[in-house]
């Protein structure tokens, strides 16, 4: 499993498209980070929220914002 730092490093340099507004780039980065941690936590929202340092409610809000109902169990 890739470390979180490696994922962030990779995403910072390679996945935000050139010319993207900074807030859009940050949203892209945040969504990938949340998805990675959520999958790492085996879709356990409480565990993922703890790893991300946010409440479960905030995690659910962000999952819905970035992925619609796909990741909301």
């Amino acid at each position: 499993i890739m470390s979180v730092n490696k994922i962030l490093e990779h995403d910072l340099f390679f996945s935000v498209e050139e010319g993207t507004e900074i807030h859009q780039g940050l949203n892209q980065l945040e969504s990938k980070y949340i998805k990675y941690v959520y999958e790492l936590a085996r879709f356990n929202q409480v565990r993922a929220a703890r790893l991300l340092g946010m409440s479960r409610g905030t995690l659910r809000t962000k999952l819905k914002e970035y992925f619609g109902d796909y990741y909301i169990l």
Side-chain angles (χ1 to χ4, degrees):
I1 298 174
M2 289 179 74
S3 73
V4 171
N5 288 338
K6 286 292 182 192
I7 289 170
L8 290 175
E9 181 181 306
H10 179 268
D11 282 345
L12 280 172
F13 293 109
F14 299 110
S15 72
V16 176
E17 295 178 21
E18 188 174 335
T20 300
E21 295 289 330
I22 189 71
H23 68 279
Q24 291 171 324
L26 290 173
N27 285 343
Q28 287 176 13
L29 183 61
E30 182 182 46
S31 70
K32 289 178 182 189
Y33 181 60
I34 288 172
K35 180 182 177 201
Y36 172 77
V37 172
Y38 190 48
E39 290 173 354
L40 184 67
R42 297 186 182 171
F43 305 97
N44 181 307
Q45 292 178 4
V46 173
R47 188 176 305 141
R50 282 189 193 135
L51 290 169
L52 291 164
M54 64 179 67
S55 71
R56 180 178 170 267
T58 299
L59 174 61
R60 288 180 60 82
T61 299
K62 290 184 178 287
L63 288 170
K64 181 130 178 124
E65 175 186 345
Y66 292 131
F67 308 107
D69 291 329
Y70 184 76
Y71 279 116
I72 304 294
L73 304 173

